[in-house]
Amino acid sequence: MKRLIATCVTFSCLATGAFANKVYVSNEKGNTVTVLDSDNWEVLTEFPAGNRPRGITISPDGTKLYVCASDDDLVRVFDPETMEELYTLPSGPDPELFVLHPSGNPLYIANEDDAITTVVDTQSREVVRQISVGIEPEGMAVSPDGTIAITTSETTNMAHWIDTATGDLIANTLV
C-alpha cells in the first residue's frame, strides 16, 4: 500500500498542464496501469503495461509516460493522452524503479537482480552505462539540479551517489 500511495503522490505533484488531474498507478500483479482522476479519484482508464510493471514516471514536458516492465527487462514508453505504446527502452535485467533526469535525459534504472544502476539515453534509446551498486537496488532519486543520482540498496542498507556528468560512482553511504 505504501508503494501505491507514493506513486500516486508523485504523479499528482509531477503532472503539469493537461495531465495535472491524472494519477498513473502501476499494477504489478495485473500487468496494467490505472489512470485516476485526482479530483474525484475515479478510474478513467486502465491499459496493459507489460509484464510486472513497477516504476512509473512522466517526462518533464508531459508527453511520455515511462513504465518499468520488470519481467520484460525493459521500459515501455506510452503517450499519456492516448495510452498508446510509443516504443521501448533497454533497461538491464529486472528493472524495479527509476528516476528521470530533470532535463528528461537520461533515465537511471535500479536493476535489483544484478546490483547495478543502468543509465539509458532516452533520445538514442541506448544503454550508456551500468554502475555496480549494493545488493537489491531499488530506490532512486536525482538532485533537483540534476548533478547527482542516488540509488539505494535494500539488502546492504546503502545509498550510492552517482555523478551525472561522468556517470562515476562517487560515494557509498550506510543508511
Side-chain angles (χ1 to χ4, degrees):
M1 185 62 172
K2 288 181 185 176
R3 185 175 303 146
L4 171 67
I5 292 169
T7 302
C8 292
V9 170
T10 300
F11 284 94
S12 294
C13 295
L14 289 177
T16 59
F19 305 105
N21 296 331
K22 291 184 181 178
V23 178
Y24 301 88
V25 181
S26 60
N27 303 305
E28 184 175 339
K29 292 186 179 182
N31 298 328
T32 61
V33 167
T34 300
V35 183
L36 303 172
D37 181 319
S38 66
D39 289 332
N40 57 25
W41 299 107
E42 290 186 21
V43 173
L44 298 173
T45 191
E46 185 172 279
F47 62 96
N51 292 306
R52 199 170 147 244
R54 299 283 312 270
I56 187 167
T57 195
I58 198 159
S59 62
D61 65 3
T63 63
K64 294 174 190 74
L65 180 72
Y66 297 88
V67 179
C68 274
S70 291
D71 285 351
D72 294 334
D73 292 338
L74 53 80
V75 173
R76 296 186 180 279
V77 184
F78 297 90
D79 178 323
E81 189 171 332
T82 65
M83 311 319 157
E84 176 185 335
E85 187 173 319
L86 303 172
Y87 53 88
T88 62
L89 296 172
S91 68
D94 191 24
E96 294 287 320
L97 300 175
F98 52 48
V99 66
L100 190 60
H101 188 275
S103 69
N105 191 31
L107 187 65
Y108 297 89
I109 306 167
N111 300 107
E112 186 175 50
D113 289 347
D114 286 5
I116 58 174
T117 295
T118 298
V119 183
V120 175
D121 184 307
T122 59
Q123 294 174 347
S124 70
R125 302 181 192 170
E126 295 179 0
V127 171
V128 294
R129 189 165 198 140
Q130 291 189 312
I131 303 157
S132 293
V133 293
I135 299 169
E136 293 187 26
E138 200 160 308
M140 296 294 306
V142 68
S143 61
D145 66 1
T147 61
I148 303 289
I150 302 166
T151 303
T152 59
S153 296
E154 186 175 0
T155 301
T156 54
N157 296 321
M158 296 182 82
H160 312 279
W161 304 79
I162 301 165
D163 181 325
T164 60
T166 64
D168 292 335
L169 183 65
I170 55 175
N172 292 308
T173 307
L174 285 172
V175 291

